[in-house]
Amino acid sequence: MELVEQSDRSRASRVRERRRSRVLSRYAGRPIRLIWRYVARHKVAHAVVLISVISAVGFALASQYGIRNLIDALPHGRAHPETVAYAFAVLVGLILADNLLWRVAGWVSARAFVRVTGDIRQDMFDYLLGHAPSFFADKQPGVLSSRVSATANAVYVIENTVAWTALPPTLTVIGAIFMVATVSLPMSVALVAISALLTACLFWLARKGTSRHEAFANKAASVDGELVDVIGNMGLVRAFSAVNAELRRFDGHLNAEAEARKNSLLYLEKLRLLHALVTTLLSAGVLGWTVWLWTQGRATTGDVVLVGSLGFAILHGSRDVAVAFVDLTQHVARLAEASQTLLTSYSMPEAPKAMPLIVREATVDFHNVSFAYPGRRTVLNDLTLHIQAGERVGLVGPSGAGKSTVLALLQHFYEAGSGCVRISGQDISQVTLESLQAAMSVVPQDVALFHRSLLDNIRYGCPEASEAEVKRACEDASCMDFIAALPDGLNAIAGDRGTKLSGGQRQRIAIARAILKDSPILLLDEATSALDTASEIAIQAALERLMKNRTVIAIAHRLSTLQSFDRIIVMNRGRVVQEGTPAQLALVPGIYRDTLARHSRRAPAHTLN
């Protein structure tokens, strides 16, 4: 019963994930809608921030009235001190309320805005992992990782800019205009017209600079991508004495980014300069108008102070609003660019009604499968292949014959151009990716390890495994000897992509990882290619234990590793040209026998490369 409930919960979770993935793709290049999606998750907190900011601005404006009342009360203050005291107390109360409400807004926003940032980063990473391998093959890892951070950071900056830079002056301008109307309606109308026109002009000019901001966003992401690319291939850089060349190349990218940033910032400064000149002239005009009203006896001294301060607040507020919107335009452009890259629709979305793969018998079938990588010639031509449950099958053939493509299609890294691939009679395009991956253990030629402990790397496919189970897997994979020699043992860090280990050590870690995962189908892609002869003998014994009662598909250029297999399939140009037992193929003219002959003569070309 418990297993059924867990299965139901897992299925419901997958449905939610698929629905969320489809929804997120709708926000690609739509930054405002994307922001609102995450703000809506924390409605109450954002409502508190909004109400607090509105109230704080209201009390700040009201304090201008408080100042006017205090000034007007001063001439008669000696005769009526209670009037001055009352005006003073009201002013102090307004100032106190203003400051307290800002602190409430700041306290709540410190939690809400950070949560929004975390939600976006999590969802962007979650969506990114759902892309097919072909998506990652076309893009630099650094560019993608920088865009995940850029998306979250842009939203954080936008929320803060709206809350603290754009919203307060906007509310101040609106409130101040109404307050000026109580003294002089014509002045209020003039201020409305001038402020609206100025803000509209600056916002229009700001939008015209969007291309400059987007260019800067692209260049910044490109620099991040170059950094990760070079650092990840530092061994290659050193091997070819290319340090100076990479420095020059990176300097070129930095110069391009600096030029794009300069163009973006200078455009913003031109807008700020324009607004500063206009504001100076208008401030002088408002002050002169107010003084003229006073000379006509149509305004009190307090009115002069009130209208003057409010006029300045309106003009400077319109400047702050315009500058804030200019800054927002830049950040929104970065958010749009980053989301456009990350939220590209999946090229291989999971089938809407995908069901978990149920492996009763681990059979593998390729039925009339043809496939070509984008922009390249056909790799597989009408391939039909049946592998029985528990059968050990070796794939051999020259480079480009389609061997690795067979394993890639079996793992559903790509969609077959025609035909279908089945496991245990089920079309793998109609099953959940999680269940498909759980059915297979892979020992690749180029072993990938995380910059984590060996313990974490080995139990990556079986995180619930105990340390004792990990050690048994290491012993079966003949890697416990070198692990025990490390100062930290299983807690030793593997390094970036396993750089602290030799090639042979990495492959033995990968074999231990596959042993621990214990899946019914085992894929071996040159699993012993990086081992010396002594290690290979030890690993062969481990592989024999691992392959027992499993369906095995192995790619091997060392034919010695396939001698115990049930069947050898020889591929050439995407087709099966020979198949049979190792003993049978050794007697039949063809690629297999020719390779055996070269190997026996110890010729340099003793592999099927």
Side-chain angles (χ1 to χ4, degrees):
M1 183 65 181
E2 184 178 349
L3 291 176
V4 172
E5 291 177 353
Q6 289 177 353
S7 177
D8 290 341
R9 287 196 298 269
S10 179
R11 188 178 299 109
S13 176
R14 288 193 296 272
V15 170
R16 288 194 298 271
E17 291 296 326
R18 289 196 295 268
R19 187 181 299 117
R20 182 170 64 180
S21 296
R22 288 195 296 271
V23 169
L24 276 177
S25 63
R26 300 173 189 168
Y27 295 93
R30 298 179 177 179
I32 303 304
R33 290 184 60 192
L34 181 66
I35 294 172
W36 180 250
R37 168 184 171 82
Y38 290 95
V39 169
R41 288 188 183 180
H42 307 281
K43 298 185 186 73
V44 174
H46 283 84
V48 170
V49 173
L50 178 61
I51 293 172
S52 298
V53 170
I54 292 174
S55 301
V57 171
F59 281 114
L61 289 171
S63 65
Q64 302 296 324
Y65 261 120
I67 294 173
R68 187 198 72 168
N69 292 336
L70 179 61
I71 291 175
D72 287 342
L74 288 177
H76 309 288
R78 291 184 179 88
H80 304 283
E82 68 279 359
T83 304
V84 176
Y86 176 75
F88 176 77
V90 170
L91 179 59
V92 170
L94 291 171
I95 294 172
L96 178 61
D98 173 22
N99 283 279
L100 286 178
L101 285 166
W102 280 118
R103 300 288 61 78
V104 170
W107 184 272
V108 176
S109 67
R111 298 170 180 267
F113 294 178
V114 170
R115 286 174 182 169
V116 167
T117 304
D119 289 347
I120 290 178
R121 198 185 296 265
Q122 177 65 42
D123 283 358
M124 292 298 113
F125 182 61
D126 187 10
Y127 187 86
L128 184 65
L129 294 184
H131 279 291
S134 56
F135 175 85
F136 299 95
D138 296 334
K139 295 174 177 62
Q140 293 175 309
V143 170
L144 295 176
S145 63
S146 70
R147 277 171 167 81
V148 172
S149 296
T151 301
N153 292 336
V155 172
Y156 181 77
V157 172
I158 289 170
E159 283 209 288
N160 276 281
T161 302
V162 169
W164 314 124
T165 310
L167 183 60
T170 301
L171 296 172
T172 299
V173 169
I174 295 172
I177 287 172
F178 279 105
M179 293 175 69
V180 169
T182 63
V183 177
S184 173
L185 185 60
M187 183 184 297
S188 176
V189 172
L191 287 172
V192 169
I194 294 172
S195 298
L197 179 63
L198 183 58
T199 301
C201 288
L202 286 175
F203 189 63
W204 177 74
L205 291 171
R207 287 182 63 86
K208 291 194 68 174
T210 298
S211 60
R212 293 175 173 84
H213 310 322
E214 289 178 342
F216 166 55
N218 280 322
K219 296 298 182 183
S222 176
V223 168
D224 291 338
E226 286 294 320
L227 274 172
V228 174
D229 194 31
V230 173
I231 293 172
N233 291 282
M234 188 54 67
L236 180 65
V237 173
R238 293 285 187 183
F240 285 86
S241 303
V243 172
N244 291 331
E246 289 299 337
L247 287 173
R248 289 192 296 272
R249 176 185 172 88
F250 187 65
D251 189 51
H253 283 280
L254 284 179
N255 289 336
E257 183 205 21
E259 183 67 21
R261 173 175 283 186
K262 181 191 73 175
N263 292 336
S264 175
L265 293 177
L266 285 179
Y267 189 83
L268 298 180
E269 285 303 316
K270 290 176 182 177
L271 297 185
R272 293 185 178 113
L273 177 61
L274 173 63
H275 191 278
L277 294 174
V278 174
T279 300
T280 301
L281 295 175
L282 291 178
S283 298
V286 169
L287 182 59
W289 191 344
T290 307
V291 172
W292 178 79
L293 288 174
W294 176 77
T295 62
Q296 299 294 313
R298 296 159 57 185
T300 67
T301 304
D303 287 336
V304 172
V305 175
L306 174 66
V307 173
S309 62
L310 290 176
F312 291 144
I314 292 170
L315 295 174
H316 288 293
S318 66
R319 177 199 62 191
D320 294 339
V321 171
V323 170
F325 274 105
V326 168
D327 290 339
L328 283 173
T329 300
Q330 186 180 39
H331 293 297
V332 168
R334 294 199 71 177
L335 177 60
E337 188 275 336
S339 65
Q340 186 71 53
T341 300
L342 295 175
L343 299 181
T344 303
S345 297
Y346 290 155
S347 59
M348 289 176 56
E350 194 173 87
K353 296 183 179 180
M355 298 296 291
L357 175 66
I358 300 175
V359 183
R360 296 184 178 87
E361 291 186 345
T363 59
V364 175
D365 288 281
F366 282 72
H367 182 67
N368 298 330
V369 173
S370 295
F371 176 78
Y373 293 99
R376 294 164 59 183
R377 65 175 181 82
T378 300
V379 180
L380 298 181
N381 292 287
D382 198 29
L383 177 68
T384 296
L385 180 64
H386 173 70
I387 300 175
Q388 298 177 3
E391 187 178 15
R392 302 180 185 183
V393 174
L395 300 181
V396 300
S399 295
K403 307 183 298 297
S404 295
T405 302
V406 168
L407 297 192
L409 291 179
L410 184 59
Q411 296 173 79
H412 206 208
F413 287 171
Y414 303 92
E415 198 75 63
S418 63
C420 68
V421 182
R422 293 189 178 94
I423 292 178
S424 193
Q426 299 158 76
D427 188 341
I428 64 171
S429 66
Q430 300 301 313
V431 303
T432 62
L433 189 59
E434 182 181 0
S435 64
L436 176 65
Q437 294 166 340
M440 289 179 279
S441 294
V442 184
V443 181
Q445 180 178 11
D446 182 18
V447 177
L449 298 178
F450 289 100
H451 185 67
R452 304 171 189 173
S453 69
L454 297 180
L455 181 64
D456 288 339
N457 275 285
I458 293 171
R459 62 182 178 193
Y460 190 68
C462 187
E464 70 279 2
S466 65
E467 187 170 338
E469 291 171 326
V470 171
K471 289 181 177 179
R472 282 197 297 271
C474 291
E475 291 170 355
D476 289 341
S478 300
C479 58
M480 201 60 213
D481 53 346
F482 77 80
I483 291 177
L486 297 173
D488 296 322
L490 282 170
N491 293 317
I493 301 300
D496 183 40
R497 296 187 60 81
T499 53
K500 292 186 177 182
L501 305 177
S502 68
Q505 289 172 336
R506 287 197 297 272
Q507 280 200 315
R508 281 186 275 179
I509 292 293
I511 292 171
R513 184 167 56 192
I515 291 173
L516 191 64
K517 189 180 179 185
D518 195 24
S519 299
I521 298 174
L522 177 64
L523 306 181
L524 305 175
D525 186 0
E526 289 294 332
T528 61
S529 62
L531 303 176
D532 53 39
T533 303
S535 297
E536 182 181 0
I537 294 173
I539 288 300
Q540 284 296 340
L543 289 176
E544 283 295 326
R545 293 190 291 272
L546 174 61
M547 291 187 292
K548 188 176 181 181
N549 298 324
R550 287 178 174 80
T551 301
V552 181
I553 304 175
I555 296 175
H557 292 150
R558 292 184 181 182
L559 300 185
S560 59
T561 63
L562 304 176
Q563 295 309 301
S564 63
F565 275 46
D566 302 313
R567 183 160 48 121
I568 303 295
I569 294 175
V570 182
M571 298 183 65
N572 193 22
R573 297 183 179 180
R575 297 181 182 273
V576 176
V577 294
Q578 287 182 300
E579 63 177 306
T581 65
Q584 291 171 339
L585 292 181
L587 303 175
V588 179
I591 295 175
Y592 186 85
R593 193 175 75 171
D594 293 344
T595 304
L596 279 177
R598 288 198 299 270
H599 180 72
S600 64
R601 292 195 300 268
R602 298 175 180 267
H606 68 279
T607 67
L608 287 170
N609 289 320

